[in-house]
Amino acid sequence: MVKHATTITFYGGVNEIGGNKILLQDRGTKIFLDFGQSFTFGSDFFTSWLCPRAINGLGDYFEFGLLPKLKGLYANEQLQFTDLLPTKKPDFRAVFLSHAHFDHVTHIQFLHPELEVHLGKGTKLFLETMEETSGFCNYGEHKYKMFRTGYKVPVDNIVIEPIHVDHSIPAAYGFIIHTSNGSLVYTGDLRMHGPRNDLTRDFLEKAVNCKPVALICEGTRMVEQEKRMNYSERQVEQISSQIISSTDKIVFVAHYSRDMDRLRSFYTVAKNNGREIVLSPKTAYLLNKLVDDKHLDLPNPLKDKNIRVYYKRKKSGKFDDKDYYVWERKFMDKMVTHEYIRKNQRKLVMDLDFYQFTELIDIKPDSGSHFVHSMSEPFSEEDIEDTIMHNWLDHFGIHFHQLHASGHLDKQQLMQLIDYINPKQIFPIHTENQHLFKKNYNNAKIIKYGKEYRL
Ligand SMILES: [Zn+2]
């Protein structure tokens, strides 16, 4: 590397959606932007029960080149069975996380504990909740540092400015990064059709004002032609309201558990239609943690009379509190069971994701009930889970509805963003279609894994 050069290197999110790991080097200072796991991570070598052994640390991952082999990046205990030598201090200063989605954060679990992890307050809360409520989730020990929008975080010669954006999870940020060789803009994941597009607008203002030498731009929906149906959050509310108001049967909904905009939409629609909404203890727990943040405007699951919490049969089958995890017990005053659901079907909207479908056997929903799938459509037509989901719905005579608002800009909006920010260079990430950036912009690069690019 030239002595005063600033470079970026992509170790994830290259020709795929998610798994962003972007290394920025400036006068010897090294930081990462995001450190996630891609959705297809390791799928060429591992499947269902054939998975990397925790006991071998990073050994099984390095075998297949699944994580970048960089000295001074990882926790020493992860390196025990590898040929990377342990280091007392990390060779990297920090990682900045744009938001709490799996494909942006998961691999921080392997990082050296002395490396600083900078993240939004909300992101920290999501990570904590994941660790508390899911048995297998552990992000490791880190020096966490929390930022808010507009902070200017110095790391040697670099100054990182996180600016809020609208995405399908609260506390999402893009970054404006001031380096020794000009400003770099990183979008993270973002959208304009959500309820908080004002946040994305704030980010765009900052991005254009810094006259960036480079833009690292997400391109999830940079596709030749959009095949999936996408709605705005407002439309999701309107259409689900039509479904609910035109039936006297129960309406089940499945959505990403941390998409708080979607949860608010279904809560509002249920309430406006005179129905209670039934949540899982996990969703109630998360909601309870977020309720203090006035910006999010979420209902309190402990106090709101329109919210009920569904408890599955466990152990004794008598719904004794000792049968449940301590974190689950908090909502037992709001408890409903399958019997309540069966008796009150016409008065309810119930959160029920695919992995909870066995509850339908206890609930016995009336034929002609409804299921709103408020998530992305399956990526392939041979999706096994999709087939199984439809088998279950057919078995119970439940009507299926696909109804989703994406967390990402579409192609036209992406191009508007690029035109508006007008960067000198464009680096497409988090996309399967880099060539479409190149087709429309001469200054777009086709990025390669592990290659160093100068700003
Ligand atoms: Zn995301």
Side-chain angles (χ1 to χ4, degrees):
M1 191 172 95
V2 184
K3 204 172 161 210
H4 295 313
T6 304
T7 65
I8 44 178
T9 313
F10 300 89
Y11 289 107
V14 180
N15 294 321
E16 63 180 337
I17 292 171
N20 291 15
K21 291 187 182 80
I22 307 157
L23 171 61
L24 171 68
Q25 302 189 67
D26 187 275
R27 299 184 183 221
T29 302
K30 300 175 192 172
I31 64 166
F32 266 97
L33 306 172
D34 284 333
F35 212 73
Q37 174 174 326
S38 71
F39 294 105
T40 56
F41 182 73
S43 60
D44 288 341
F45 299 97
F46 297 107
T47 181
S48 63
W49 295 105
L50 177 63
C51 39
R53 298 163 296 173
I55 194 168
N56 204 33
L58 283 165
D60 290 7
Y61 297 89
F62 286 163
E63 176 69 29
F64 303 107
L66 297 175
L67 278 145
K69 220 169 169 182
L70 301 172
K71 193 166 170 271
L73 179 60
Y74 301 107
N76 289 336
E77 66 264 29
Q78 294 289 343
L79 301 175
Q80 220 184 332
F81 303 100
T82 73
D83 54 5
L84 269 190
L85 292 175
T87 53
K88 195 150 183 272
K89 288 264 169 210
D91 196 24
F92 297 76
R93 286 290 306 278
V95 54
F96 284 76
L97 301 178
S98 62
H99 61 286
H101 276 152
F102 169 91
D103 57 324
H104 293 254
V105 304
T106 300
H107 286 161
I108 65 165
Q109 61 180 301
F110 301 122
L111 292 176
H112 198 296
E114 292 289 309
L115 199 149
E116 291 172 1
V117 176
H118 294 258
L119 72 184
K121 198 175 163 211
T123 301
K124 178 77 165 50
L125 212 140
F126 278 115
L127 299 191
E128 276 169 19
T129 309
M130 277 298 283
E131 286 184 331
E132 285 160 12
T133 61
S134 110
F136 53 86
C137 194
N138 181 355
Y139 294 105
E141 288 295 312
H142 299 292
K143 285 184 169 167
Y144 284 110
K145 309 247 171 177
M146 282 183 272
F147 57 64
R148 281 191 172 280
T149 194
Y151 273 31
K152 294 192 167 83
V153 188
V155 184
D156 299 338
N157 283 301
I158 313 169
V159 176
I160 297 99
E161 223 181 319
I163 308 290
H164 52 210
V165 294
D166 191 27
H167 184 38
S168 47
I169 187 167
Y173 296 84
F175 296 118
I176 315 277
I177 304 147
H178 308 283
T179 77
S180 333
N181 288 284
S183 297
L184 165 70
V185 173
Y186 170 44
T187 59
D189 288 351
L190 74 184
R191 65 176 172 188
M192 282 302 284
H193 57 272
R196 293 305 309 271
N197 54 44
D198 56 312
L199 306 181
T200 303
R201 279 179 216 287
D202 289 346
F203 172 71
L204 292 180
E205 274 321 297
K206 292 271 183 188
V208 71
N209 287 339
C210 77
K211 299 192 169 39
V213 292
L215 169 68
I216 302 173
C217 188
E218 74 122 319
T220 313
R221 292 173 70 197
M222 181 59 101
V223 288
E224 200 82 65
Q225 210 162 26
E226 189 109 38
K227 290 195 191 84
R228 296 141 170 243
M229 195 61 202
N230 263 297
Y231 298 95
S232 67
E233 196 61 43
R234 186 93 193 90
Q235 286 171 313
V236 168
E237 244 185 64
Q238 285 165 347
I239 297 170
S240 57
S241 186
Q242 283 163 14
I243 296 168
I244 294 167
S245 62
S246 58
T247 181
D248 59 354
K249 305 274 164 59
I250 190 167
V251 178
F252 297 104
V253 295
H255 59 90
Y256 298 110
S257 59
R258 297 182 294 171
D259 185 341
M260 292 297 135
D261 294 326
R262 193 62 40 82
L263 181 62
R264 194 190 306 103
S265 294
F266 285 127
Y267 164 81
T268 307
V269 169
K271 190 174 161 186
N272 291 347
N273 282 283
R275 294 190 182 217
E276 292 175 340
I277 189 160
V278 182
L279 306 176
S280 68
K282 207 176 214 170
T283 303
Y285 187 82
L286 179 60
L287 196 52
N288 189 50
K289 284 223 163 195
L290 294 170
V291 83
D292 290 338
D293 189 338
K294 295 285 169 265
H295 297 290
L296 295 178
D297 185 29
L298 291 164
N300 186 332
L302 288 169
K303 294 185 183 151
D304 194 299
K305 62 179 177 21
N306 295 292
I307 296 178
R308 297 287 196 146
V309 181
Y310 182 78
Y311 282 76
K312 301 190 214 183
R313 280 191 290 143
K314 277 196 182 177
K315 293 181 184 164
S316 69
K318 290 179 187 145
F319 302 95
D320 279 346
D321 48 356
K322 65 175 181 340
D323 290 348
Y324 297 85
Y325 295 115
V326 175
W327 65 263
E328 282 180 298
R329 294 177 199 164
K330 196 167 187 160
F331 308 97
M332 290 195 118
D333 286 347
K334 308 277 274 181
M335 182 203 289
V336 292
T337 68
H338 58 275
E339 281 169 4
Y340 178 88
I341 306 287
R342 194 190 309 145
K343 282 184 199 138
N344 295 283
Q345 295 189 41
R346 58 168 57 219
K347 295 183 201 152
L348 305 174
V349 171
M350 180 175 182
D351 247 18
L352 189 79
D353 74 41
F354 173 67
Y355 297 103
Q356 312 301 329
F357 265 23
T358 42
E359 296 309 305
L360 291 170
I361 296 171
D362 291 357
I363 293 167
K364 301 188 194 344
D366 291 338
S367 182
S369 298
H370 295 263
F371 177 74
V372 180
H373 186 257
S374 196
M375 309 170 84
S376 296
E377 292 169 57
F379 286 89
S380 101
E381 279 173 18
E382 283 117 57
D383 190 295
I384 295 170
E385 287 190 356
D386 187 59
T387 306
I388 294 174
M389 178 176 79
H390 282 281
N391 289 346
W392 277 76
L393 297 175
D394 292 349
H395 176 84
F396 288 100
I398 299 174
H399 298 296
F400 174 83
H401 307 267
Q402 172 65 33
L403 184 58
H404 183 49
S406 164
H408 304 272
L409 297 173
D410 67 19
K411 183 182 175 188
Q412 200 192 346
Q413 293 167 324
L414 279 167
M415 289 173 62
Q416 282 166 355
L417 173 141
I418 295 169
D419 292 340
Y420 184 68
I421 296 180
N422 191 24
K424 288 215 174 70
Q425 301 183 82
I426 304 159
F427 296 91
I429 193 169
H430 204 281
T431 179
E432 292 171 337
N433 296 306
Q434 289 199 61
H435 67 278
L436 291 179
F437 281 86
K438 187 77 200 165
K439 193 172 148 189
N440 292 292
Y441 297 96
N442 279 332
N443 58 341
K445 302 266 183 210
I446 299 279
I447 60 166
K448 292 207 169 77
Y449 181 94
K451 185 174 171 194
E452 204 173 81
Y453 297 91
R454 270 184 77 169
L455 293 197

